[in-house]
Structure formats: structure tokens, C-alpha cells
């Protein structure tokens, strides 16, 4: 028996949509990363982009557990000497681009390199409930019902 290795032309890419309202960021990001890599498929091949295209809506309504909203810090560098900056998760969530919290969490769960960057390109995150991908007929994935810990109760 020979091992199966998917070729890029044979890959069947679907479109899936996830509503992030009330979902815990880390648990949501791990499910998205799994879908983007294609590990949920029996034809998974590590060196081929065989994952799905993922649309995430309502990204501003995700929640962080514990005191992460105040304590979690995101670092970035301006490119100048001594130019390391930091922002708290709360500052990002209250800012113009709260969807970056989800994007960063998923980006850090994907492999680094050309394949990981290509797979991250299959992720679309939107702040509100509307998205411009209705023509792709995305299949809705209910992440909240997968595990009771995926949703944070107040």
C-alpha cells in the first residue's frame, strides 16, 4: 500500500464562515488554523496548501479569558533603533482594527515560511456581520457547539 500525497491541482477547497460572537480567541484560532492547514481532511498533505478558505465575521465580539484583556501585550518594532512598541489587547479591541487580535492568534498557530503565508492568505476576518463573499456560498461552521468551553459565559 502506498502513501497518498495530494497534488495542488487535486485539492478541493471549500469556503467556510465562522461567527465569532462570544467565542474565546485561542480556541477559535486553533480551529481556524486547523481548517486553514487542511488537517481536518483525510487527504491532508503537509507540503501542500489543502486547507479551506475561512471567513470570520463579528471579530470585535470575541472574548479573552481571565485578565488577558488588560495584561496581554502585543509587541511590534517600528524599524528604527530602539523602536520596540507595545499595545495591550484592550487597546487593540477598542481601536479601529479589533480583527487583528484574531488574525495574530491564527498567524502564530500556522507554520512560518512560504506555505504558512499562503495559508494565512486564505483567512478573511471582518469586524462586523457583513462580508463581500456571499457569491462563494460559504458553509457555516458552528464553533460554539463543538465544545462548551469555546463560548465564554458572562
Amino acid at each position: 500500500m502506498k502513501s497518498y500525497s495530494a497534488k495542488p491541482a487535486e485539492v478541493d477547497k471549500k469556503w467556510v464562515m465562522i461567527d465569532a460572537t462570544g467565542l474565546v480567541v485561542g480556541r477559535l484560532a486553533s480551529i481556524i488554523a486547523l481548517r486553514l492547514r487542511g488537517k481536518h481532511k483525510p487527504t491532508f498533505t503537509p507540503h501542500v496548501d489543502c486547507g479551506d478558505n475561512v471567513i470570520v465575521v463579528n471579530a470585535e465580539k470575541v472574548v479573552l479569558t481571565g485578565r488577558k484583556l488588560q495584561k496581554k501585550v502585543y509587541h511590534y518594532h517600528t524599524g528604527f533603533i530602539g523602536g520596540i512598541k507595545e499595545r495591550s489587547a484592550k487597546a487593540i479591541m477598542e481601536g479601529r482594527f479589533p480583527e487583528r487580535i484574531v488574525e495574530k492568534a491564527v498567524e502564530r498557530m500556522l507554520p512560518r515560511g512560504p506555505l504558512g503565508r499562503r495559508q494565512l492568505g486564505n483567512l478573511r476576518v471582518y469586524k462586523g456581520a457583513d462580508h463581500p463573499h456571499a457569491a462563494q456560498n460559504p458553509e457555516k461552521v458552528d464553533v460554539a457547539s463543538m465544545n462548551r468551553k469555546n463560548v465564554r459565559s458572562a
Side-chain angles (χ1 to χ4, degrees), residues 72-89 91-92 97 100-101 104 107-108:
K72 186 165 181 62
V73 177
Y74 291 89
H75 296 277
Y76 66 97
H77 201 284
T78 62
F80 291 97
I81 297 170
I84 191 145
K85 304 278 186 179
E86 60 182 35
R87 291 185 73 195
S88 69
I92 295 172
F97 304 105
R100 288 183 182 166
I101 294 275
K104 271 294 172 195
E107 178 186 336
R108 292 170 179 178

Side-chain angles (χ1 to χ4, degrees), residues 15-19 53 55-57 131 138-142:
W15 285 78
V16 295
M17 186 177 81
I18 298 172
D19 187 4
N53 292 291
I55 303 164
V56 181
V57 294
H131 62 86
E139 168 193 324
K140 291 192 178 192
V141 176
D142 190 13

Side-chain angles (χ1 to χ4, degrees), residues 46-70:
H47 62 278
V48 176
D49 179 15
C50 53
D52 295 335
N53 292 291
V54 180
I55 303 164
V56 181
V57 294
N58 293 320
E60 81 276 0
K61 296 179 183 171
V62 295
V63 292
L64 290 131
T65 57
R67 296 183 59 198
K68 290 189 198 92
L69 196 61
Q70 291 84 23

